[in-house]
Amino acid sequence: MSGSDAVAGAPLVGIVIGSRSDLATMERASTLLSDLGIASETRVISAHRAPGLLASYAESAAGRGLRVLIAAAGLAAHLPGVLAAQTELPVIGVPMPGQHLGGLDALLSIVQMPRGIPVATVGIGMAENAALLAAQILSLGDPEVAARLRAYRDAQTRAILEDETNRTSGN
Ligand code: RP5
């Protein structure tokens, strides 16, 4: 499956999700990356249901030009860790909210990586933060991405200040 085709060029960020049921949440990451001018791809590859395919994806990722991986999964969420074990690219893990434990199961599965194989874990369902962290990593070698990130933060701050001005001026 292809992610944000809106940005031309080879994808720099690979988004891997454990199930189609994670797609709606993680489309928020591909959309934000696209808004920041970063091409991404999205693949549905379960660590448990398709372990061979996940191994091939991990082993070929850097060679295909990907620079950062985002991996999202729920329940016993082994996908980010298994991916990180098979590539030296940075992996950002996104715990998916589950039906029974609210995503705490996935959060603990992803964040508690053993020493030597890190996964940078964001909050439960925090697709946007995964995209922003990936963009920040890319911005270290790309001044244009750095400028877009600065503009994103400035707009975020401006929106809060304007909202607060409107809210208090009505009193
Ligand atoms: C995980 O199990 C997926 O990442 C998903 O969050 C969860 C449920 O998957 P489905 O049963 O909806 O395919 O592997």
Side-chain angles (χ1 to χ4, degrees), residues 41-88:
E41 64 177 19
T42 300
R43 300 286 307 275
V44 183
I45 311 176
S46 165
H48 303 115
R49 297 161 177 160
L53 183 57
L54 187 65
S56 314
Y57 185 86
E59 281 160 16
S60 66
R64 291 195 300 110
L66 294 170
R67 305 286 303 280
V68 185
L69 300 177
I70 295 172
L75 304 177
H78 296 122
L79 173 57
V82 170
L83 200 51
Q86 298 177 94
T87 177
E88 287 164 26

Side-chain angles (χ1 to χ4, degrees), residues 15 18-19 38 76 79 84 98-99 106 108 112-113 127 129-130 146 154 157 166:
I15 301 173
S19 167
I38 298 167
L79 173 57
Q99 280 183 355
L108 296 178
Q112 284 288 44
M113 285 295 293
N129 276 0
D154 288 347
T157 303
N166 291 338

Side-chain angles (χ1 to χ4, degrees), residues 130-150:
L132 289 169
L133 193 50
Q136 286 177 244
I137 292 169
L138 292 171
S139 76
L140 295 173
D142 188 332
E144 289 185 11
V145 171
R148 288 188 210 112
L149 272 170
R150 173 48 51 200

